[in-house]
Amino acid sequence: MHRSMSLSTGAAVAAAVAALVTALLLLWCEEAGPGTGSSMAETEALPKLREDFRMQNKSVFILGASGETGRVLLKEILEQGLFSKVTVIGRRKLTFDEEAYKNVNQEVVDFEKLDDYASAFRGHNVGFCCLGTTKAKAGAEGFVRVDRDYVLKSAELAKAGGCKHFNLLSSKGADKSSSFFYLQVKGEVEDRVGELKFDRYSIFRPGVLLCDRQESRPAEWLVRKFFGSIPASWARGHSVPVATVCRAMLNNAVRPSGKEKEVLDNMAIHSLGKADAS
């Protein structure tokens, strides 16, 4: 019994140390390109941009709404009332108690057989992909299957279904040439989704995501404590609250863009996510 507890504690400590090392590695990774922040003029224009966007009666889908970022993103979307139809695509039906969620459409799919669920991806103007797991939770194979294969197949079906603007939650330092496995996979899927040639493709590369997860992850708790103990100005460059990421995604979606592909790094996410936060 004591031996089992000791092994369990040791594994938790090892995972925590690994997560902290991962966070430090992310600090040292170079961004693949300049981020796109928000100018003062754009910030002042956001209320009007939102109103114009609402008038277009667009439809949106969210992948990964059961995760921390997807959950907050869905809440923000409903609070801002930006879309006439909101669809959640996931492997299980979610339970919502609040009245605000009553009109959310849910499509339950088997990610191993996504071609059988092509109809779930049809008829959406905008898509947000927040799918993701961890190597520690799913193993190396499982991580690649979720973060690369599921994401890519979903993007393919979204493009075929008429999606014009695809938004991908990636990671700071994503690079298919990276020697760091996590960043290599993130960089590979970024590039492969880009090959689909959406009318508009927005990539968000946040640093360490700061949130209070519903599921217990001691390793991430340690990382959050680490970033909470360093100067705010330094932490701002390498970490970001989940709520800020979600607001940045939506603020970016409502503003016009002449670019087919845009990459928002951690600082740009901070800037855009805090613009006109009301």
Side-chain angles (χ1 to χ4, degrees), residues 152-172:
L152 181 58
K153 174 53 71 172
S154 295
E156 290 173 353
L157 293 174
K159 177 66 188 299
C163 180
K164 302 298 184 185
H165 184 189
F166 191 81
N167 298 268
L168 178 65
L169 180 65
S170 185
S171 171
K172 176 182 173 70

Side-chain angles (χ1 to χ4, degrees), residues 43-62:
T43 297
E44 293 173 350
L46 272 172
K48 179 65 165 59
L49 290 174
R50 291 192 189 107
E51 189 55 39
D52 291 344
F53 191 89
R54 291 186 190 103
M55 295 296 289
Q56 297 174 52
N57 293 317
K58 292 189 176 184
S59 174
V60 65
F61 72 80
I62 303 173

Side-chain angles (χ1 to χ4, degrees), residues 8 51 65 87 89 112 124 148 239:
S8 176
E51 189 55 39
T87 298
I89 301 175
E112 292 294 327
H124 305 290
R148 186 192 67 191
S239 63

Side-chain angles (χ1 to χ4, degrees), residues 90-91 107-117 150:
R91 60 184 177 82
E107 295 283 356
V108 178
V109 303
D110 181 347
F111 282 100
E112 292 294 327
K113 303 174 181 178
L114 271 182
D115 282 322
D116 295 341
Y117 300 88
Y150 290 178

Side-chain angles (χ1 to χ4, degrees), residues 11 14-16 18-19 133-143 181-182 217 219-220:
T133 185
T134 63
K135 186 179 175 183
K137 183 178 180 180
E141 259 185 56
F143 169 69
F181 178 68
Y182 176 84
R217 291 187 184 178
E220 290 190 0

Side-chain angles (χ1 to χ4, degrees), residues 166-188:
F166 191 81
N167 298 268
L168 178 65
L169 180 65
S170 185
S171 171
K172 176 182 173 70
D175 183 351
K176 66 180 180 181
S177 301
S178 175
S179 57
F180 188 29
F181 178 68
Y182 176 84
L183 298 179
Q184 181 186 107
V185 172
K186 290 293 188 182
E188 181 185 352

Side-chain angles (χ1 to χ4, degrees), residues 7-101:
L7 288 172
S8 176
T9 301
V13 171
V17 171
L20 186 55
V21 169
T22 297
L24 291 172
L25 282 170
L26 285 171
L27 299 187
W28 296 325
C29 288
E30 294 290 337
E31 295 291 349
T36 306
S38 62
S39 67
M40 181 64 72
E42 285 179 319
T43 297
E44 293 173 350
L46 272 172
K48 179 65 165 59
L49 290 174
R50 291 192 189 107
E51 189 55 39
D52 291 344
F53 191 89
R54 291 186 190 103
M55 295 296 289
Q56 297 174 52
N57 293 317
K58 292 189 176 184
S59 174
V60 65
F61 72 80
I62 303 173
L63 286 158
S66 62
E68 292 302 317
T69 304
R71 180 173 57 84
V72 176
L73 178 62
L74 175 59
K75 182 173 182 291
E76 285 283 341
I77 283 175
L78 295 176
E79 287 181 352
Q80 293 191 29
L82 295 173
F83 298 91
S84 59
K85 182 180 178 182
V86 179
T87 298
V88 168
I89 301 175
R91 60 184 177 82
R92 61 184 173 84
K93 189 170 184 178
L94 304 179
T95 301
F96 302 116
D97 297 323
E98 296 90 339
E99 182 72 9
Y101 292 82

